[in-house]
């Protein structure tokens, strides 16, 4: 199923591996490649995000909406908290967590091993 993500772009829902909403931005992972889409407002981004979630619901014919992004984001936050507890140089937590969220789970695990 094609999902319209902006005025001139569509994504096939079966190719989306992960996606998450962060304010006006939706980040998609398609074939392990990151694609960011920034929308004019948070409500606009939320509508697109809900449309994507509903396409997964329609595809599975399940009553629950599949949102892999929530699970992945939660896992990334947990890993960051573990990293932050171990790391000696605690400077600017907000910037650090923004950069952390951009890492892959594999890179996060490597960072945890290093500290």
């Amino acid at each position: 199923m094609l999902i319209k993500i902006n005025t001139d772009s569509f994504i096939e829902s079966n190719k989306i591996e992960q996606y998450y909403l962060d304010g006006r931005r939706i980040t998609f992972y398609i074939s392990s490649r990151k694609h960011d889409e920034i929308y004019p407002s948070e409500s606009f981004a939320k509508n697109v995000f809900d449309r994507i979630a509903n396409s997964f619901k329609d595809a599975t014919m399940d009553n629950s909406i599949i949102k892999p992004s929530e699970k992945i984001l939660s896992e990334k936050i947990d890993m960051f908290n573990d990293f932050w507890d171990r790391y000696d140089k605690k400077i600017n937590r907000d910037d650090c967590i923004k950069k952390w969220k951009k890492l892959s789970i594999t890179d996060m695990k490597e960072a945890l091993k290093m500290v």
Side-chain angles (χ1 to χ4, degrees), residues 29 76 98-105 107-108 111:
Y29 287 90
K76 286 184 173 188
K98 285 178 187 176
K99 291 176 183 177
W100 183 266
K101 287 179 183 178
K102 293 178 182 180
L103 297 174
S104 68
I105 298 291
D107 291 340
M108 290 177 186

Side-chain angles (χ1 to χ4, degrees), residues 18 72 75-76 79 103-110:
Q18 327 172 14
I72 291 167
E75 185 178 346
K76 286 184 173 188
M79 291 175 78
L103 297 174
S104 68
I105 298 291
T106 305
D107 291 340
M108 290 177 186
K109 289 178 182 177
E110 284 297 314

Side-chain angles (χ1 to χ4, degrees), residues 3-4 10 28 30 35 39 42 48 63 68 80 84 104 111:
I3 302 167
K4 187 173 185 176
F10 293 86
F28 303 94
I30 302 165
H35 171 77
Y39 296 94
E42 288 186 21
V48 174
N63 290 333
F80 174 78
W84 192 256
S104 68

Side-chain angles (χ1 to χ4, degrees), residues 18-102:
Q18 327 172 14
Y19 59 101
Y20 62 90
L21 176 66
D22 184 16
R24 295 181 9 199
R25 175 183 309 213
I26 299 177
T27 301
F28 303 94
Y29 287 90
I30 302 165
S31 302
S32 299
R33 298 189 77 189
K34 182 179 176 182
H35 171 77
D36 286 326
E37 193 67 41
I38 299 174
Y39 296 94
S41 68
E42 288 186 21
S43 62
F44 192 94
K46 175 87 169 92
N47 287 336
V48 174
F49 186 84
D50 290 343
R51 201 168 347 131
I52 295 165
N54 286 333
S55 74
F56 283 105
K57 179 181 175 184
D58 293 344
T60 61
M61 296 304 220
D62 190 358
N63 290 333
S64 63
I65 296 175
I66 299 170
K67 292 186 181 177
S69 57
E70 290 176 0
K71 181 181 177 188
I72 291 167
L73 187 56
S74 174
E75 185 178 346
K76 286 184 173 188
I77 298 292
D78 291 343
M79 291 175 78
F80 174 78
N81 289 331
D82 189 21
F83 170 81
W84 192 256
D85 290 342
R86 295 179 192 187
Y87 193 61
D88 292 336
K89 299 177 185 177
K90 293 180 172 44
I91 300 171
N92 205 345
R93 182 182 170 95
D94 292 338
D95 283 345
C96 189
I97 198 164
K98 285 178 187 176
K99 291 176 183 177
W100 183 266
K101 287 179 183 178
K102 293 178 182 180

